[in-house]
Amino acid sequence: MKSAKPFDAQRLDMERFARDAGQLQGRWLLAALPRLAESQVDGVAPAGREVLWEAHGQRVDRLGAPAEVWLHLGARATVRLQCQRCLNPVDVVLEVDRSFRFVRDEREAAELDAQVEEDILVLDRSLDLQALVEDELILALPLVPRHADCRYPAAVEGEPAPTGADPVVAERPHPFAALAALKRRLT
């Protein structure tokens, strides 16, 4: 029997959400996710940027065992990061598509985490879905953000950067060049 009470994304009763095959979706301003906002250029989310998200609950009955509680989560956001090649801002699209299985306590979570590949969380009466979405988007951040067609180093005086080999490597002298020159002088 489905409950008539609406679900609250910031205090989500996961057992009821799964039992009722609940569905939620919405938008949050990127600035409402402070830890994700800090990762952006200048530590500030661009005005008006949003996180689109959706969540679906599922209860899976098992013969001779307690039912499993699942949360299927999807989220998408565009963040402004600093390109690690040219150091200019770059917009990066983050996408999350994850499923979480909930268990009763930390001990069970630790045991299952070593045995299964699925994501395991401890069942709580009040799940903060916004915090979970923020965590997953942070985990989706690239280790080394950069433009797809970055022209490093940034063009100076209108000169385009060389193409082909990495210009940083091409500009560095060989580490033993000075030693070879000294050896030539001594012989």
Side-chain angles (χ1 to χ4, degrees):
M1 180 172 142
K2 289 194 177 194
S3 170
K5 184 178 174 184
F7 295 108
D8 180 352
Q10 291 182 301
R11 288 186 303 268
L12 188 60
D13 179 346
M14 269 310 303
E15 267 191 295
R16 187 171 69 92
F17 190 64
R19 182 189 67 227
D20 293 354
Q23 296 186 24
L24 287 172
Q25 62 183 6
R27 308 168 175 258
W28 291 310
L29 284 175
L30 196 52
L33 307 176
R35 293 176 295 132
L36 185 59
E38 284 176 8
S39 69
Q40 299 189 69
V41 173
D42 299 326
V44 178
R49 293 250 174 122
E50 295 181 319
V51 174
L52 305 175
W53 61 272
E54 63 182 13
H56 307 279
Q58 179 184 16
R59 180 185 163 122
V60 178
D61 292 319
R62 300 181 310 160
L63 189 60
E68 293 179 350
V69 173
W70 285 85
L71 172 69
H72 306 286
L73 181 67
R76 180 181 170 95
T78 301
V79 294
R80 179 157 295 154
L81 304 175
Q82 184 176 44
C83 176
Q84 296 301 299
R85 294 190 84 190
C86 68
L87 304 179
N88 290 316
V90 57
D91 285 340
V92 176
V93 176
L94 304 177
E95 292 191 54
V96 171
D97 184 13
R98 304 284 300 266
S99 293
F100 301 93
R101 181 174 150 198
F102 287 83
V103 296
R104 299 285 169 205
D105 57 37
E106 292 287 341
R107 183 193 56 75
E108 186 179 359
E111 286 176 12
L112 282 175
D113 198 36
Q115 298 171 8
V116 297
E117 291 190 25
E118 53 210 38
D119 292 316
I120 306 291
L121 294 176
V122 176
L123 189 61
D124 193 1
R125 289 287 293 163
S126 180
L127 174 71
D128 185 348
L129 195 57
Q130 186 174 12
L132 182 60
V133 167
E134 183 176 24
D135 289 344
E136 293 304 313
L137 289 170
I138 289 170
L139 289 172
L141 287 168
L143 291 175
V144 182
R146 63 181 241 196
H147 295 96
D149 57 349
C150 187
R151 296 176 61 130
Y152 177 83
V156 177
E157 298 177 26
E159 293 293 321
T163 58
D166 188 346
V168 174
V169 174
E171 293 173 5
R172 279 190 219 136
H174 190 279
F176 295 110
L179 184 59
L182 179 61
K183 184 178 175 184
R184 277 192 300 270
R185 275 188 278 164
L186 294 174
T187 56

